[in-house]
């Protein structure tokens, strides 16, 4: 067998999984890096900008307090105001030193705040002098105010960058999620469709094979293990078709070769039985009758084998014509009445009052009815009844044959329609070659109908088949 080309199923699954892992890993790595960066920016805003802003605000509060106390002293000459000025300047210096230790980058910008300074407190001589701010304090507040403004601008820029970074991370995360879902769901659907398409072909071939139909090749839709399975199935199907043709040819040849000597045997038995060659006593007549019955049974078996052979070679010719369905049932009952009486089985028909006409080949449909009713008689116990029912709706006529025989197990019901199959429990107790139901179903399906079986062990069996009322083109199987 040729080696399968292309990627196998494991490689396809691995590639698909790797694509998902790469997208997920890339998205996760970017988000982690972005989160780390945003955390650093947030930490800087809190530890630097917010801390410097708070320190400047406190230093400005001290300087404003100093300015207020200087004006108070100039206005009323209060010594308590002088004490407050000293305390505020001392606290201002402490805050300044502490802030420069934490943030030495402001040392150059705040150099003037660390230099020696002198504040002269003298009562104001003119009314306007009491409101004039101290030059040193004014210079310091301007320096701190400028620093506060710059720090607020820097904080605002950092917050804007943080916002843009978060929005960008959210977009990347969303795109990564969409891509992951697309690869996950889309890849799963494509892979499932690919696998299911190849499996459906093999499943169709196996279903046709299991139903006893013509074994057909399946399409090879991939180069992986499923494609290799399809090629193996086609190779098996080819061998089965060749073996089936050989068996059909052998059966046809054997049936043809046996028919001539069998006819001669039947004619010889009839000739001897008629007394043309001499008087026949009672014992000889009994054995001649047995030989005649067996030759008839052998002829019937050959006829069935020939029918199967013709169907397999597409030689089942139908001649559809309008046919009275009730007449088909009545005719079949009349032909099988002697057989039923011999086995002490009653026949019952349930026919509709209104006439039912369908388009079919009456001879072939009659053969189906004879087979189903004959099986019902064969498998029903003495004193039981085989019921034949005819139903009709707007599109089809339904024939139902019910018996009170041993019934058929669920796992055996589909197999009984296969050629040469016989239920294991009946192989040695009931005569037959396992061809009747296979022939019957092929005839029904050739008319465009379908055959069904409803049975339970110990409760009898009901075989039914439908025929279209308006007829249907005969269905032909292509090998």
């Amino acid at each position: 067998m040729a080696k399968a080309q292309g990627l196998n199923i494991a490689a396809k699954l691995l590639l698909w999984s790797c694509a998902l892992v790469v997208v997920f890993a890339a998205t996760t790595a970017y988000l982690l890096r972005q989160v780390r960066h945003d955390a650093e920016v947030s930490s800087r805003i809190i530890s630097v900008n917010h801390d410097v802003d708070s320190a400047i605000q406190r230093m400005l509060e001290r300087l404003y307090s100093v300015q207020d106390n200087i004006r108070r002293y100039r206005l009323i000459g209060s010594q308590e105001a002088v004490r407050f000025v000293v305390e505020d300047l001392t606290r201002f210096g402490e805050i300044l030193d502490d802030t420069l230790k934490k943030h030495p980058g402001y040392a150059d910008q705040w150099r003037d705040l660390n230099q020696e300074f002198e504040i002269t407190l003298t009562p104001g001589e003119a009314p306007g002098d009491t409101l004039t701010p101290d030059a040193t304090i004014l210079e310091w507040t301007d320096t701190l105010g400028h620093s506060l403004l710059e720090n607020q601008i820097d904080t605002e820029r950092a917050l804007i960058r943080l916002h843009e970074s978060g929005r960008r991370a959210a977009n990347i995360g969303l795109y990564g999620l969409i891509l992951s879902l697309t690869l996950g769901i889309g890849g799963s659907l494509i892979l499932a469709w690919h696998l299911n398409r190849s499996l459906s072909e093999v499943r169709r071939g196996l279903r046709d094979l299991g139903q006893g139909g013509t074994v057909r090749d399946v399409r090879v839709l991939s180069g992986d293990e499923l494609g290799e399975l399809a090629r193996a199935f086609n190779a098996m199907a080819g061998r089965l078709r060749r073996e089936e043709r050989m068996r059909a040819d052998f059966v046809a040849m054997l049936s043809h070769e046996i028919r001539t000597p069998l006819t001669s045997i039947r004619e010889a038995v009839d000739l001897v039985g008629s007394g043309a060659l001499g008087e026949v006593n009672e014992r000889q007549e009994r054995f001649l009758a047995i030989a005649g019955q067996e030759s008839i049974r052998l002829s019937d078996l050959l006829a069935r084998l020939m029918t199967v052979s013709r169907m397999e070679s597409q030689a089942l010719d139908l001649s559809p014509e309008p046919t009275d369905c009730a007449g088909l049932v009545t005719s079949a009952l009349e032909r099988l009445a002697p057989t039923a009486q011999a086995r002490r089985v009653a026949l019952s028909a349930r026919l509709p009052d209104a006439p039912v006409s369908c388009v079919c080949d009456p001879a072939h449909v009659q053969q189906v009815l004879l087979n189903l009713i004959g099986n019902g008689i064969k498998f029903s116990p003495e004193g039981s009844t085989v019921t034949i029912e005819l139903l009709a709706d707007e599109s089809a006529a339904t024939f139902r044959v019910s018996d009170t025989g041993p019934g058929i197990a669920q796992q055996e019901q589909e197999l009984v329609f296969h050629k040469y199959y016989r239920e294991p429990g009946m192989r040695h107790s009931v005569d037959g070659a396992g061809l009747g139901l296979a022939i019957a179903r092929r005839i029904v399906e050739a008319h465009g109908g379908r055959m069904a079986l409803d049975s339970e062990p110990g409760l009898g069996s009901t075989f039914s088949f439908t025929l279209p009322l308006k007829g249907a083109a005969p269905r032909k199987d292509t090998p």
Side-chain angles (χ1 to χ4, degrees):
M1 182 179 299
K3 184 178 180 180
Q5 300 296 323
L7 297 176
N8 56 28
I9 296 177
K12 293 175 182 177
L13 289 174
L14 180 60
L15 287 177
W16 174 62
S17 302
C18 288
L20 283 176
V21 170
V22 167
V23 172
F24 179 77
T27 304
T28 303
Y30 173 81
L31 292 177
L32 289 176
R33 185 179 67 84
Q34 199 65 39
V35 168
R36 187 180 296 109
H37 173 266
D38 292 347
E40 293 175 355
V41 172
S42 300
S43 177
R44 182 179 181 278
I45 292 175
I46 295 173
S47 61
V48 177
N49 297 93
H50 177 72
D51 189 58
V52 170
D53 186 275
S54 176
I56 293 174
Q57 293 283 358
R58 286 183 286 130
M59 285 189 291
L60 286 173
E61 289 177 0
R62 294 297 175 179
L63 292 178
Y64 293 148
S65 178
V66 169
Q67 187 64 49
D68 290 339
N69 284 303
I70 290 174
R71 289 172 181 171
R72 179 182 174 192
Y73 175 77
R74 288 175 179 175
L75 182 62
I76 62 176
S78 172
Q79 292 300 317
E80 186 179 3
V82 175
R83 183 173 60 82
F84 287 153
V85 169
V86 174
E87 290 179 358
D88 288 335
L89 289 175
T90 302
R91 181 58 182 156
F92 170 80
E94 293 174 354
I95 298 174
L96 178 62
D97 292 339
D98 185 60
T99 303
L100 289 176
K101 288 179 182 179
K102 293 181 180 179
H103 310 288
Y106 285 90
D108 292 337
Q109 189 175 355
W110 292 348
R111 184 181 297 109
D112 294 341
L113 277 64
N114 277 324
Q115 293 177 355
E116 295 291 335
F117 64 91
E118 181 179 342
I119 298 176
T120 303
L121 298 177
T122 59
E125 298 178 355
D129 293 339
T130 60
L131 301 177
T132 302
D134 184 84
T136 302
I137 301 301
L138 182 60
E139 182 181 355
W140 287 0
T141 55
D142 288 343
T143 301
L144 291 175
H146 181 70
S147 298
L148 179 63
L149 180 61
E150 288 182 349
N151 184 69
Q152 289 176 345
I153 293 174
D154 185 59
T155 302
E156 184 178 355
R157 289 175 179 172
L159 290 174
I160 291 174
R161 290 196 302 272
L162 187 63
H163 173 71
E164 292 178 350
S165 175
R167 184 174 58 183
R168 185 166 55 252
N171 291 334
I172 294 297
L174 178 62
Y175 296 149
L177 177 62
I178 293 175
L179 183 57
S180 297
L181 289 176
T182 301
L183 286 175
I185 298 176
S188 298
L189 291 176
I190 293 174
L191 190 60
W193 174 79
H194 172 76
L195 295 178
N196 187 64
R197 187 176 63 152
S198 299
L199 283 174
S200 296
E201 285 294 315
V202 178
R203 191 163 54 242
R204 177 185 61 79
L206 292 175
R207 183 173 58 250
D208 292 342
L209 179 62
Q211 292 176 351
T214 302
V215 183
R216 303 181 180 90
D217 286 343
V218 299
R219 294 181 297 169
V220 180
L221 301 176
S222 64
D224 51 25
E225 292 89 344
L226 294 178
E228 186 176 355
L229 178 62
R231 283 188 287 271
F233 179 87
N234 290 339
M236 179 193 69
R239 289 195 298 270
L240 288 176
R241 286 195 298 270
R242 289 192 296 271
E243 293 174 1
E244 188 68 22
R245 284 195 297 269
M246 293 173 59
R247 185 172 63 178
D249 294 342
F250 174 76
V251 169
M253 180 272 297
L254 184 64
S255 300
H256 178 75
E257 294 298 327
I258 293 179
R259 184 178 295 274
T260 300
L262 180 61
T263 302
S264 300
I265 292 173
R266 290 184 58 185
E267 291 177 353
V269 170
D270 292 339
L271 183 63
V272 173
S274 65
L277 300 179
E279 184 178 356
V280 179
N281 58 39
E282 181 178 352
R283 184 180 180 186
Q284 292 172 336
E285 184 177 357
R286 181 163 57 86
F287 281 102
L288 288 173
I290 294 175
Q293 293 175 357
E294 293 300 316
S295 63
I296 292 174
R297 191 162 71 93
L298 187 56
S299 296
D300 182 64
L301 176 60
L302 289 175
R304 293 189 180 189
L305 288 173
M306 290 295 293
T307 301
V308 172
S309 179
R310 287 196 302 271
M311 287 191 296
E312 290 175 346
S313 62
Q314 306 297 311
L316 181 61
D317 297 325
L318 299 179
S319 300
E321 61 184 53
T323 305
D324 179 21
C325 296
L328 292 175
V329 175
T330 302
S331 176
L333 292 177
E334 291 176 353
R335 293 177 60 178
L336 290 173
T339 303
Q341 292 176 359
R343 297 186 62 88
R344 298 179 183 179
V345 174
L347 298 178
S348 173
R350 298 175 184 174
L351 305 177
D353 297 332
V356 178
S357 177
C358 64
V359 179
C360 65
D361 186 318
H364 283 90
V365 176
Q366 182 82 188
Q367 183 179 358
V368 175
L369 286 171
L370 290 174
N371 180 271
L372 296 181
I373 299 173
N375 283 347
I377 296 172
K378 183 189 303 183
F379 291 102
S380 294
E382 292 185 4
S384 61
T385 301
V386 175
T387 303
I388 301 88
E389 186 175 9
L390 174 62
L391 304 173
D393 55 24
E394 296 179 354
S395 60
T398 302
F399 299 81
R400 297 169 56 90
V401 179
S402 302
D403 61 54
T404 56
I408 302 173
Q410 182 67 36
Q411 64 271 17
E412 301 285 334
Q413 292 184 12
E414 181 60 30
L415 300 176
V416 297
F417 294 102
H418 292 187
K419 297 189 299 290
Y420 311 111
Y421 180 82
R422 299 184 65 199
E423 191 178 1
M426 299 295 174
R427 290 175 182 172
H428 304 293
S429 58
V430 179
D431 292 336
L435 293 173
L437 291 177
I439 295 173
R441 187 165 75 169
R442 294 289 290 273
I443 292 174
V444 170
E445 291 178 348
H447 281 82
R450 59 184 301 271
M451 180 170 286
L453 168 61
D454 182 16
S455 178
E456 292 185 19
L459 299 179
S461 304
T462 298
F463 288 87
S464 61
F465 66 93
T466 60
L467 294 178
L469 294 182
K470 296 183 180 179
R475 196 188 77 175
K476 290 188 176 182
D477 296 328
T478 55

